[in-house]
Amino acid sequence: WDYSSRWFQDRVHLETIQTTWVVPVDLNCILYRVEEHLEHWHESFGNSEAFSRYRAAKDSRAAAMEAVLWSEEHQQWKDYDLWSMSQSKIISASNF
């Protein structure tokens, strides 16, 4: 997925890549899962402070993802384009 055309500003040429202007669904899913694993790991070791911190991070990310990345209209996840301040119109594997 590196240098995906879904991050090209003109949707065609690599030299127009704008990775810092995209909030990618797949990266947020990975980070959510990492936070979930860390939450469970700290819980199993009785580290309540870290457990609470990772639970809050995970829950906050889930709420943000639902609010920004979920398209009710299309019933799929969408990258968020910070340049246009809207969900991406690109259809890719990360949408599903």
Side-chain angles (χ1 to χ4, degrees):
W1 252 314
D2 289 349
Y3 301 110
S4 170
S5 61
R6 72 187 216 247
W7 301 334
F8 296 173
Q9 191 171 15
D10 71 358
R11 308 297 184 229
V12 178
H13 299 96
L14 178 62
E15 55 272 3
T16 68
I17 196 163
Q18 299 290 324
T19 57
T20 58
W21 287 95
V22 177
V23 178
V25 171
D26 43 354
L27 173 60
N28 278 278
C29 290
I30 291 166
L31 292 173
Y32 173 87
R33 190 66 173 176
V34 168
E35 290 161 347
E36 185 176 55
H37 284 301
L38 288 168
E39 171 195 13
H40 293 298
W41 188 77
H42 284 290
E43 180 181 36
S44 69
F45 285 101
N47 186 345
S48 60
E49 184 180 324
F51 164 77
S52 296
R53 186 172 58 248
Y54 284 108
R55 172 170 274 185
K58 178 196 74 167
D59 293 346
S60 178
R61 184 176 306 280
M65 288 174 64
E66 187 76 25
V68 176
L69 303 177
W70 177 250
S71 171
E72 190 65 35
E73 176 186 354
H74 299 101
Q75 292 293 295
Q76 58 188 248
W77 299 97
K78 298 280 199 167
D79 290 339
Y80 191 80
D81 183 339
L82 295 170
W83 188 266
S84 68
M85 299 298 286
S86 64
Q87 291 180 337
S88 174
K89 294 171 180 46
I90 301 294
I91 297 172
S92 77
S94 66
N95 292 27
F96 303 97

